[in-house]
Amino acid sequence: MRTLSPEQGQRLGDLRRQFGAAAVPQDLLTKLATLIASVLQVKVAFVGHSNGTWAALAESSTEPRLPSAGVESWKGFNRVAAFLEDGVQIWVHDDTRWTLVGLNGRTGVSAVLALEGDWMPSAPALLQLARELQFAQRAFSWSSQAFIGEATHRLTRTLGRVSGLGSVCSLVLRHVARAVPSRIAAFAVPTDDDTLAIVATHGYPLELVERVRIAPGRGVIGSVYSSRTPMWVPDVSLIPNLHVRRPRYRTNSFVAIPVAAGAEVLGVVCVTDRLDNLAFTKEDLLTLRALTAPASLALDRERAKRRAEAFAQAAVIDPVSGLFNRRYFHERLEDELHRAQRHKTPVALMMIDIDDFKGVNDQFGHLAGDEVIRSVSDILRRSVRRFDLCSRFGGEEFAIVMPGSGPDHSAVVAERIRQRIEEFRLEEPTLSTLRVTVSIGLSVSYELSPRELIERADRALYAAKRAGKNRVVA
């Protein structure tokens, strides 16, 4: 065992006067370790917990050697340091005894001063040294903040190049699992039906949980979503209401944190099973909270994009039929006719009118009329090509634009539509006696204007009506 001499204690106390008021240089820890080593005549190292494992941040010499970088190499150190806090412990590595002095009390950062040999008889003096090494603690804090800042900057920069909810959440999880090394992670977001869905996973296939819906307030994710409060659990076995072990989890520790924009929670990130099999720390929680800032901005951006797309769609979609509206029909018809003129190709136009639709509303009610509109719209959509344009022209009238379709092909499609509508029956028992037919006017253009094409199709439609309805006239 080793004991500090009065002279050594005095010299260690002088270190504060040498460095205490100075700005923190990048090599402060190395210089400090070297100075302490010159006083004690043993190897001295500063060891910090960063990026999921312990590592020697500064050493006064290379011998005796500390573990190399990597989670496995520091397992023995983990077991001792986990109970160190502000105390003094003995740790043995490769037959060398080390005295570990905790430095993490003031900053929340896991940091240890390691002295070669057994200095336990001088523990009070070493603890006094630790209290006076505020500048070393500032260095650890600066190092930790630099790591968090770099991780946040890296995620922010990368998110600017990614779009789509699933892609954004997957990217966030990859950065989270790297910054706080975890075997398992999940990202859940709210859905339109007021539940939460997991849209990205790390460590297991998304297919296992993508159909699961989580009610707000239920379970870990639901509780964090409702409370807007992070849940940091070092040992779930100590919380009876949460102690539900699952085979895929290796540890009892997890962190779940909300991703919020203002007063609204946009998602929940949950990580478990640290790679070193230890409990998640306060430092891990701070890192996760920092990473949620760019994540919330990205999710808010995706939400704004989805809303803009919904508004844009609402501006061109008829709410009852689900088909394009008349305004969009006119825009597309003009575009298709211009394109057809350039390429010398035909454009077919069908004008379709439900026969005796007023009688449907009068006999069965307007709700039944809306159901007929929806059913006819569905038949139209399924009867044409994907790039053909189906629209509700107004009331019970529809229009279909078929680019590149000549008289023969368009006449076959029109007759198919007429037959399918005549044969279909509504599933509602009270509407089982309802029979629906349509009249169709067809016109094909090679060089007509939009107005001329519509007028010709309209004349054909009126001819179909005069001829007895439920027929196609070209």
Side-chain angles (χ1 to χ4, degrees):
M1 291 188 179
R2 300 172 182 264
T3 304
L4 286 174
S5 67
E7 180 184 359
Q8 289 174 322
Q10 180 66 39
R11 292 176 63 187
L12 290 177
D14 290 341
L15 295 176
R16 181 181 182 184
R17 288 189 290 274
Q18 294 181 43
F19 286 92
V24 179
Q26 291 186 356
D27 58 348
L28 177 143
L29 295 181
T30 300
K31 289 181 178 180
L32 183 57
T34 302
L35 281 173
I36 297 176
S38 68
V39 174
L40 302 181
Q41 296 298 303
V42 295
K43 177 173 178 175
V44 174
F46 285 97
V47 181
H49 191 268
S50 182
N51 204 21
T53 185
W54 292 91
L57 303 182
E59 302 177 74
S60 62
S61 61
T62 58
E63 297 294 338
R65 292 186 176 277
L66 289 169
S68 57
V71 174
E72 295 296 324
S73 304
W74 289 91
K75 273 191 172 180
F77 192 96
N78 281 334
R79 287 191 292 271
V80 175
F83 302 98
L84 185 59
E85 297 184 352
D86 293 328
V88 180
Q89 295 273 359
I90 295 297
W91 170 58
V92 180
H93 175 66
D94 287 348
D95 298 326
T96 299
R97 295 175 72 84
W98 295 84
T99 300
L100 307 182
V101 185
L103 298 174
N104 57 326
R106 296 180 182 275
T107 63
V109 178
S110 299
V112 172
L113 171 64
L115 309 176
E116 179 190 354
D118 184 347
W119 294 86
M120 290 300 290
S122 299
L126 295 176
L127 290 175
Q128 179 62 30
L129 172 65
R131 285 191 289 270
E132 293 183 346
L133 291 182
Q134 294 184 22
F135 55 94
Q137 293 167 353
R138 287 201 302 271
F140 278 113
S141 180
W142 173 84
S143 175
S144 175
Q145 291 301 318
F147 167 75
I148 294 175
E150 172 59 25
T152 304
H153 174 70
R154 187 167 54 244
L155 175 58
T156 303
R157 187 176 63 244
T158 311
L159 281 172
R161 302 192 295 266
V162 176
S163 62
L165 181 63
S167 299
V168 166
C169 293
S170 295
L171 178 65
V172 170
L173 274 195
R174 288 199 299 271
H175 281 254
V176 163
R178 180 167 61 179
V180 182
S182 310
R183 292 189 183 91
I184 295 177
F187 203 135
V189 299
T191 65
D192 293 335
D193 60 358
D194 296 325
T195 61
L196 291 147
I198 297 176
V199 295
T201 57
H202 171 78
Y204 64 100
L206 175 62
E207 290 77 10
L208 294 177
V209 293
E210 62 182 350
R211 298 186 182 277
V212 174
R213 294 296 178 265
I214 303 167
R218 297 292 300 273
V220 172
I221 291 177
S223 298
V224 170
Y225 175 77
S226 296
S227 67
R228 304 181 70 252
T229 303
M231 187 179 293
W232 167 36
V233 179
D235 189 348
V236 71
S237 65
L238 302 180
I239 307 176
N241 293 337
L242 290 179
H243 188 36
V244 180
R245 288 304 305 270
R246 298 179 182 177
R248 70 169 178 263
Y249 296 149
R250 299 187 186 184
T251 71
N252 284 335
S253 182
F254 69 86
V255 179
I257 190 163
V259 181
E264 187 173 1
V265 179
L266 305 180
V268 176
V269 172
C270 186
V271 296
T272 188
D273 283 358
R274 279 175 53 115
L275 289 179
D276 56 9
N277 292 328
L278 294 179
F280 288 99
T281 65
K282 183 178 180 181
E283 183 184 5
D284 297 329
L285 178 62
L286 294 175
T287 301
L288 288 173
R289 295 189 72 163
L291 292 176
T292 61
S296 66
L297 291 176
L299 288 184
D300 201 30
R301 178 195 68 198
E302 293 302 314
R303 181 177 63 173
K305 287 171 59 178
R306 290 195 301 273
R307 286 178 175 175
E309 291 170 357
F311 288 143
Q313 185 179 31
V316 299
I317 296 296
D318 173 68
V320 177
S321 66
L323 303 179
F324 290 107
N325 59 24
R326 183 168 179 170
R327 174 183 175 184
Y328 186 74
F329 159 79
H330 284 293
E331 293 175 358
R332 278 288 304 276
L333 178 61
E334 187 170 359
D335 291 341
E336 294 299 342
L337 289 175
H338 287 162
R339 185 179 296 108
Q341 290 174 8
R342 290 197 305 270
H343 298 286
K344 306 299 181 183
T345 56
V347 175
L349 173 63
M350 287 185 225
M351 299 299 292
I352 304 166
D353 186 83
I354 300 176
D355 297 326
D356 303 316
F357 185 72
K358 184 178 183 301
V360 174
N361 284 331
D362 292 344
Q363 182 177 355
F364 297 96
H366 286 84
L367 292 179
D370 287 347
E371 185 61 33
V372 169
I373 293 290
R374 282 190 288 269
S375 299
V376 169
S377 300
D378 186 56
I379 293 173
L380 298 181
R381 191 185 296 110
R382 290 187 289 107
S383 299
V384 299
R385 300 166 299 184
R386 295 184 62 181
F387 55 84
D388 293 334
L389 173 68
C390 295
S391 64
R392 186 179 181 188
F393 198 74
E396 67 272 23
E397 193 170 3
F398 304 85
I400 299 179
V401 180
M402 305 180 66
S405 183
D408 294 338
H409 175 262
S410 56
V412 170
V413 175
E415 179 60 24
R416 181 167 65 226
I417 290 172
R418 187 201 65 77
Q419 291 180 359
R420 288 181 175 179
I421 293 176
E422 183 182 25
E423 294 169 357
F424 113 94
R425 298 291 181 269
L426 292 169
E427 296 181 357
E428 180 66 34
T430 58
L431 303 177
S432 59
T433 60
L434 177 60
R435 300 293 183 266
V436 179
T437 62
V438 294
S439 298
I440 302 176
L442 174 63
S443 179
V444 178
S445 168
Y446 288 90
E447 293 184 349
L448 296 177
S449 68
R451 181 171 182 173
E452 291 171 329
L453 182 60
I454 293 173
E455 287 178 348
R456 290 192 178 190
D458 266 339
R459 288 199 296 270
L461 173 61
Y462 296 147
K465 292 286 189 180
R466 289 193 299 269
K469 304 175 184 178
N470 190 23
R471 67 191 63 228
V472 177
V473 171

